[in-house]
Amino acid sequence: MIRGLASLLPGLRLVGSSLPALGCEGLIPAMSSRAFRAVADVEIDFSNRETLKKYVGVRDHLSRQPGTKSLFMNALLELKIAATSLPATADYRRAVEATVAYRLKVCGENESDGAVEEVLDAHLEELIQECKDEIRLIPLMQSNKPWDVPAEHAVPVYNFVDGQAMLAAAPPAANAGPPPPPPPYKDK
């Protein structure tokens, strides 16, 4: 059985005869080329964009090209144009336009990609993907028209009652002390 486990775990190999009681040679951990190694106290330079993106899982194929900010601005402009197909009174369109305007303003005021990422608190690659996702969402919003609510639709309104007012209006309890302890547990 241990031989079978040893074949499944690449970091273990059979050597010597230190465990003869098990009916096989001893099992001593040995580092192989496929073994996992634990590394403690790794220093990560959080100011290096490329290193940081590797740790957060963002593929940095766009950041190696010399125009990630311009790609982001183009994606924002595409999103702005796509949002014009929605009604001007739709809250979704106003929210998208406000977000696009703010992000374009940030891109215009900051020269470097790192400064834009710092202000927007996100990687440019993530923001580009977010723009593409919003562009794909707009046709769905057009077809479902969540801004068109029928006139006969009634939104349920619940009366809010303050808890302190209810407690003040409640009659005082007969026994104002703490609740009695639970009955002792009986084993069946």
Side-chain angles (χ1 to χ4, degrees):
M1 179 168 104
I2 292 179
R3 285 182 191 269
L5 283 174
S7 67
L8 294 175
L9 300 172
L12 299 176
R13 65 183 166 129
L14 296 173
V15 293
S17 60
S18 61
L19 296 176
L22 295 175
C24 67
E25 297 85 16
L27 198 61
I28 298 175
M31 298 309 294
S32 69
S33 62
R34 293 175 34 198
F36 296 103
R37 294 183 186 188
V39 179
D41 298 327
V42 176
E43 298 270 338
I44 300 173
D45 181 15
F46 289 107
S47 62
N48 185 349
R49 290 179 63 226
E50 301 302 320
T51 303
L52 186 61
K53 288 179 183 190
K54 289 177 186 171
Y55 280 100
V56 296
V58 177
R59 291 194 176 125
D60 55 348
H61 65 279
L62 290 175
S63 64
R64 292 190 182 160
Q65 295 178 359
T68 307
K69 188 172 95 169
S70 63
L71 290 174
F72 175 52
M73 292 176 74
N74 288 339
L76 286 172
L77 293 174
E78 287 177 28
L79 178 59
K80 186 176 182 179
I81 291 169
T84 58
S85 64
L86 299 171
T89 58
D91 289 334
Y92 175 69
R93 175 180 172 173
R94 289 194 299 238
V96 167
E97 287 176 344
T99 303
V100 166
Y102 172 71
R103 290 179 175 176
L104 284 172
K105 178 183 169 191
V106 168
C107 288
E109 292 175 354
N110 296 290
E111 290 296 320
S112 69
D113 293 358
V116 173
E117 289 180 346
E118 183 71 27
V119 172
L120 296 178
D121 196 27
H123 296 292
L124 288 176
E125 294 82 6
E126 293 173 321
L127 295 171
I128 291 169
Q129 186 61 46
E130 186 179 303
C131 288
K132 291 177 182 178
D133 291 344
E134 286 289 337
I135 291 170
R136 286 198 321 259
L137 179 65
I138 287 177
L140 180 67
M141 296 295 277
Q142 282 178 324
S143 65
N144 289 334
K145 299 180 182 177
W147 49 85
D148 286 342
V149 180
E152 65 274 359
H153 179 73
V155 177
V157 178
Y158 299 98
N159 293 333
F160 174 76
V161 179
D162 187 27
Q164 294 296 331
M166 290 183 66
L167 290 175
N175 183 4
Y185 177 74
K186 294 180 183 178
D187 195 16
K188 294 182 181 183

